[in-house]
Amino acid sequence: MRGRSVTEVYFAIPGDIDAPTGGYGYDRRLMAALPSFGVAVKHVELPSGFPNPSAAECEAVAKGAAQLPANATLLIDGLAYGAFPKDLAEGIAQRIIALVHHPLALETGLSEERRAELARSEREALALADHVIVPSAATKRILESDYGVPAKSISIAEPGTDPAQRATGTGTPMQLLAVGAVTQRKGYDVLVDALEAIKELDWRLTITGAKDRDEEATSALLAQVAQAGLVDRVTLSGVVVPATLDRFYESTDVFVLPSLFEGYGMVLGEAMARGLPIVCTTGGAAAETVPDGAAVKVKPGDAEALSRALENVLSDRKLRSKLADASWDAGRKLPTWNETARRVAAVVMGLKV
């Protein structure tokens, strides 16, 4: 970086930075790539209680912020920032850039009271942010319409996708793959309902993702699989190492994303990078992340529609081939992580994106 000025940013992230989720993955890739664009990153580990922090954890955040330079720029992950009480957000003197993967109130399984609390806290916190970064145009529209964030204060930095070899699939039985932590928002219960209705087809499903994020949802899903008589056809693999995940993608015939809402849907990018035919919902940004020609899309939460879509794709080789070709073409046009970091760096430096 000879002759190049370096800007510093404090990247505040709650809990374990190595947590196997899309949001944490986005954060890790930013931390690795931002220095190449003139932004030195200092990781600030926030308490793990967010988005349900205790009073003591909020106090710890306030004390930590007070110790940082007054002219510092803070890039704060929305998993924490959206749950900041108003007095905590107001007390931070430094420049704040909020990174909103998806609004906290749109998480599935919340009580109406908690949903309202999170919507209020995130609205108040975002009003105090100097700028907001989101992963998709869909999330930007939600923040504008429901949270009152001015369009000029929001920048889109779509997640990057690594290049990959085109998947070859298996064929017999047809291998279905879903990737993401087991939580209510991911809609795996809807997926099992949909698959139960097409037992006569020869398929196997692997769900790859953390099983300890929502233990209640995991227990309920395992019980549902057993009750449906699908124990020998549905596998919850838990978190796997990257090499194993690559093998799963390689042997997959159809990628499935049954989520009720996605702020972007990074795994859809991974599927397109491998040219996989996709069946997904239109929840949140998922409807726009994948071009129409690369996926069969259904309304989130509609098990009957999802079942029909899966039956059509599994039964029609020409349809799978058409979807796969469109997916492969779309995957070649996805942004890289360098492009993502470049956009975020521009925001940090106060430049137009």
Side-chain angles (χ1 to χ4, degrees):
M1 289 192 210
R2 185 178 301 172
R4 184 189 213 178
S5 62
V6 177
T7 301
E8 191 172 72
V9 67
Y10 291 83
F11 197 172
I13 303 167
D16 182 8
I17 183 64
D18 293 321
T21 70
Y24 281 104
Y26 186 109
D27 293 352
R28 290 192 297 272
R29 296 302 292 262
L30 273 189
M31 291 175 67
L34 280 172
S36 296
F37 294 90
V39 177
V41 181
K42 291 193 173 181
H43 176 210
V44 177
E45 184 175 341
L46 300 181
S48 61
F50 287 97
N52 302 298
S54 66
E57 287 176 321
C58 289
E59 184 178 353
V61 173
K63 288 182 178 178
Q67 294 172 3
L68 298 178
N71 63 347
T73 293
L74 305 185
L75 176 60
I76 308 178
D77 188 284
L79 185 63
Y81 189 68
F84 276 15
K86 187 177 182 180
D87 60 344
L88 173 56
E90 286 179 332
I92 296 176
Q94 295 88 353
R95 176 181 178 231
I96 295 174
I97 300 173
L99 173 57
V100 179
H101 300 291
H102 68 81
L104 297 177
L106 297 183
E107 189 63 62
T108 305
L110 299 171
S111 68
E112 287 306 311
E113 180 182 9
R114 184 56 180 153
R115 190 181 306 280
E117 289 175 351
L118 286 171
R120 182 179 64 252
S121 69
E122 193 153 23
R123 188 178 299 111
E124 292 173 345
L126 289 173
L128 296 167
D130 295 278
H131 205 82
V132 182
I133 296 172
V134 296
S136 67
T139 302
K140 179 182 180 182
R141 289 194 297 270
I142 291 171
L143 294 191
E144 289 180 54
S145 63
D146 298 351
Y147 290 80
V149 182
K152 65 181 181 180
S153 298
I154 307 174
S155 295
I156 300 170
E158 290 187 2
T161 302
D162 293 320
Q165 295 294 317
R166 187 164 185 172
T168 58
T170 301
T172 306
M174 299 290 290
Q175 298 294 326
L176 304 173
L177 178 66
V179 178
V182 181
T183 65
Q184 293 185 50
R185 179 170 57 85
K186 292 301 182 180
Y188 293 135
D189 55 338
V190 181
L191 176 57
V192 172
D193 277 343
L195 289 171
E196 185 180 5
I198 52 172
K199 282 183 178 181
E200 72 280 2
L201 298 181
D202 192 13
W203 54 262
R204 300 292 185 273
L205 168 67
T206 299
I207 297 173
T208 296
K211 296 189 288 186
D212 58 358
R213 288 280 310 285
D214 185 338
E215 293 182 357
E216 184 177 341
T218 299
S219 295
L221 183 62
L222 289 170
Q224 180 187 7
V225 169
Q227 186 173 2
L230 298 175
V231 172
D232 60 340
R233 302 178 72 176
V234 176
T235 301
L236 274 62
S237 73
V239 177
V240 298
V241 299
T244 299
L245 182 58
D246 284 341
R247 288 198 296 272
F248 284 165
Y249 274 117
E250 168 66 20
S251 61
T252 292
D253 295 295
V254 180
F255 187 84
V256 189
L257 186 134
S259 289
L260 304 182
F261 181 89
E262 288 289 339
Y264 177 80
M266 288 169 57
V267 295
L268 292 171
E270 294 176 3
M272 287 188 286
R274 292 164 172 84
L276 287 171
I278 296 169
V279 175
C280 67
T281 70
T282 55
E288 300 170 12
T289 299
V290 184
D292 289 343
V296 176
K297 305 175 186 179
V298 301
K299 287 176 55 178
D302 190 336
E304 185 177 343
L306 183 58
S307 184
R308 287 197 302 269
L310 287 167
E311 182 176 23
N312 289 340
V313 174
L314 290 171
S315 303
D316 190 335
R317 183 176 180 178
K318 288 184 178 179
L319 175 58
R320 288 198 307 277
S321 180
K322 181 179 178 181
L323 293 171
D325 287 344
S327 177
W328 179 249
D329 289 343
R332 310 281 66 73
K333 302 169 187 173
L334 292 170
T336 65
W337 283 108
N338 276 342
E339 174 63 16
T340 307
R342 184 192 68 78
R343 288 178 171 273
V344 174
V347 173
V348 172
M349 293 175 176
L351 305 174
K352 289 186 178 181
V353 180

